[in-house]
Amino acid sequence: MDSILIKGGKKLKGTIRVSGSKNAALPELFASILTDDEVILQNLPRLDDTRASVALLERFGKSVKWTGRSSCVISAHSKPSGEIPYDLVRRMRASILMAGPALARYSKVRISLPGGCAIGMRPIDIHLEGFKKLGARVTLKGGYVEMTATRLVGARIKLRYPSVGATENLVMAASLADGKTVIENAAREPEISDLCAMLSGMGAVISGAGTARIAIEGAARLGGVKHRVIPDRIEAATYLTAAAITGGDVVLEGAEPSHMRAVLSKIAAAGVRISLAGDTISASASGRTLKPVSVRTAVYPGFPTDLQAQWMALMSVVKGDARVVETVFENRFLHVAELRRLGARLSVCENTVRISGGAALSGAPVMVSDLRAGAALVLAGLAAGGVTNILRVYHLDRGYENLVGKLRRLGAGIRRVSG
Ligand code: UD1
């Protein structure tokens, strides 16, 4: 298994380009199921998760051709199998996002329940409740959810929580339903607005994207589209945090600052000088003394849960006390034990981590438990004295395009070791 070796202590300096958003790209790849016409996606990040989604699409009768570094053409070539098996769902929870388009298009879908489903149906209950409202028959058998509907019918759906995935799944299904669907308490993340823009390009009539009330007028058929995926706000913020933690100066091109207001204001509050010019964000931390800043994760437009781990790494080295409160996911503190191995002073109490900052981190072997935990360990490694050896880096390959290459370009002492 590959690992990443980091020799910490170098200030990052230079310019890199932000990749396309993973979390927008995944539902948008699956949205191609809604049509037999050609779908062209541009600014698609080359990641293990996008490759896994392409493999799923191929299983669903699609032909996917990369036509450049970051564009692909998706067309229909055979009849789909209609089943999404456990080995694919286990590897990528986002494969649940295929359920909506597949149900709408083929009237039937069988999808394995995601793993770690100890509390019954809970992790996808909001998706399933919504599908039922649209007229699907949902049955649970042998670890699979089977859904059938001769025709989906528009409905008023009030989500019990603004789940990102459920909102996306239901918007896609409703785009091919009979009549009007209104989703209330919908998630407002920019990735949802981007998906709605793509669906509108395919002929769906959608209003209210980016608000808590999305209305979708179902179409009898959707057509092809050429769509450009928005920039990855989480990747961008991870590199800004890297500038902060190393006391460096980093310029990001191809970013979308308007999607990053909560994060940019926290980074600025910590004392990093941020300047914006169009799609360019410059972060300057050199020669500046950073201050502790607490964060509380929340649904968009709040501080993203996908940046909580990275923020914890930063606050570990900034003098003073800070807190990170996680409100979106239960049990999303798996990185705490590994950050402690590097010398971070962290204590966990329920959904809050108290950080006693100003620690002098020192390199050690650490293990990645999930994508964003991995990003936090990389950041801590960049700031640590000595060598940090990061194991299980396949988690990082799921969501950061060319991570090692981009950090090397900024002058980091980092390399990937195959093994
Ligand atoms: C998406 C993102 C992920 C991000 C998360 C929250 C993708 C591919 N992933 O994940 O990076 O961290 O949004 O911003 O876009 N929940 C239920 N029942 C459901 C659905 C969700 O209880 O049916 C709970 C989850 O367990 C979690 C919370 O709701 O505690 C948020 O989940 P959700 O917004 O659905 O996140 P994802 O779409 O899975």
Side-chain angles (χ1 to χ4, degrees):
M1 238 186 276
D2 289 8
S3 59
I4 289 178
L5 276 183
I6 303 177
K7 196 164 174 339
K10 293 212 171 123
K11 288 180 193 295
L12 299 192
K13 203 170 175 52
T15 302
I16 50 170
R17 213 174 162 77
V18 178
S19 295
S21 160
K22 168 179 86 75
N23 286 352
L26 302 184
E28 289 169 2
L29 281 164
F30 295 140
S32 68
I33 294 174
L34 294 165
T35 180
D36 274 347
D37 295 352
E38 201 169 80
V39 169
I40 300 174
L41 286 176
Q42 298 173 319
N43 203 31
L44 199 61
R46 294 247 186 178
L47 299 166
D48 279 2
D49 269 10
T50 40
R51 279 186 278 270
S53 306
V54 164
L56 262 162
L57 284 179
E58 284 168 343
R59 213 189 159 94
F60 251 74
K62 291 286 187 186
S63 145
V64 184
K65 285 201 180 69
W66 288 88
T67 51
R69 240 218 78 65
S70 58
S71 333
C72 78
V73 179
I74 308 167
S75 48
H77 77 103
S78 66
K79 207 175 149 19
S81 83
E83 176 163 318
I84 309 167
Y86 180 61
D87 63 312
L88 294 174
V89 177
R90 180 177 54 87
R91 259 183 281 151
M92 193 181 60
R93 200 186 122 85
S95 42
I96 181 75
L97 295 175
M98 256 185 124
L103 175 68
R105 192 65 210 294
Y106 299 110
S107 309
K108 184 174 171 170
V109 63
R110 223 169 90 84
I111 182 161
S112 170
L113 280 172
C117 238
I119 351 177
M121 304 273 279
R122 189 173 176 274
I124 55 164
D125 59 336
I126 304 171
H127 302 240
L128 299 186
E129 275 309 309
F131 290 136
K132 281 189 203 159
K133 287 258 162 66
L134 291 175
R137 231 169 62 88
V138 179
T139 46
L140 185 60
K141 234 190 309 185
Y144 277 79
V145 183
E146 198 172 293
M147 293 195 283
T148 49
T150 33
R151 188 81 185 126
L152 294 177
V153 180
R156 177 182 165 267
I157 306 170
K158 182 159 190 198
L159 307 186
R160 72 161 172 82
Y161 177 89
S163 154
V164 174
T167 304
E168 292 167 343
N169 238 338
L170 297 171
V171 167
M172 288 189 279
S175 295
L176 275 184
D178 274 341
K180 183 175 175 177
T181 297
V182 175
I183 305 175
E184 286 172 4
N185 199 25
R188 290 182 285 161
E189 271 66 3
E191 292 75 18
I192 293 167
S193 306
D194 197 46
L195 171 66
C196 290
M198 174 181 170
L199 294 168
S200 301
M202 294 168 77
V205 180
I206 302 178
S207 60
T211 74
R213 185 180 186 280
I214 305 179
I216 308 113
E217 202 63 67
R221 123 174 238 292
L222 294 175
V225 69
K226 185 189 216 177
H227 179 76
R228 189 175 170 81
V229 179
I230 50 168
D232 195 313
R233 62 194 168 102
I234 306 297
E235 187 209 25
T238 301
Y239 288 111
L240 297 179
T241 313
I245 204 169
T246 62
D249 298 298
V250 168
V251 177
L252 300 181
E253 288 175 348
E256 181 47 79
S258 69
H259 294 165
M260 299 173 63
R261 290 207 179 96
V263 176
L264 291 176
S265 81
K266 289 290 181 183
I267 296 178
V272 176
R273 201 175 63 229
I274 296 283
S275 22
L276 308 178
D279 70 355
T280 300
I281 306 177
S282 309
S284 174
S286 71
R288 301 172 75 90
T289 305
L290 299 193
K291 299 182 280 283
V293 173
S294 296
V295 297
R296 181 183 186 88
T297 67
V299 295
Y300 190 83
F303 189 90
T305 173
D306 285 350
L307 278 170
Q308 169 260 100
Q310 298 89 313
W311 195 257
M312 208 179 286
L314 173 62
M315 287 303 125
S316 297
V317 304
V318 170
K319 265 210 185 81
D321 295 339
R323 275 181 312 157
V324 167
V325 183
E326 172 60 56
T327 73
V328 177
F329 284 98
E330 294 165 17
N331 194 20
R332 202 180 193 183
F333 287 146
L334 295 170
H335 44 280
V336 166
E338 300 300 301
L339 286 171
R340 279 193 191 128
R341 289 174 50 74
L342 297 172
R345 296 183 299 237
L346 311 171
S347 63
V348 186
C349 181
E350 292 172 359
N351 69 341
T352 301
V353 173
R354 284 175 201 281
I355 306 149
S356 185
L361 303 184
S362 66
V366 284
M367 209 176 293
V368 179
S369 56
D370 60 79
L371 175 58
R372 308 305 172 184
L377 294 174
V378 169
L379 295 180
L382 292 172
V387 174
T388 298
N389 186 14
I390 302 187
L391 307 168
R392 298 201 179 161
V393 298
Y394 54 84
H395 288 291
L396 284 161
D397 298 337
R398 286 188 39 221
Y400 285 92
E401 188 177 49
N402 190 23
L403 174 73
V404 169
K406 287 188 180 182
L407 286 171
R408 283 176 76 94
R409 207 186 150 90
L410 296 174
I414 184 168
R415 70 190 166 92
R416 189 172 179 121
V417 181
S418 25

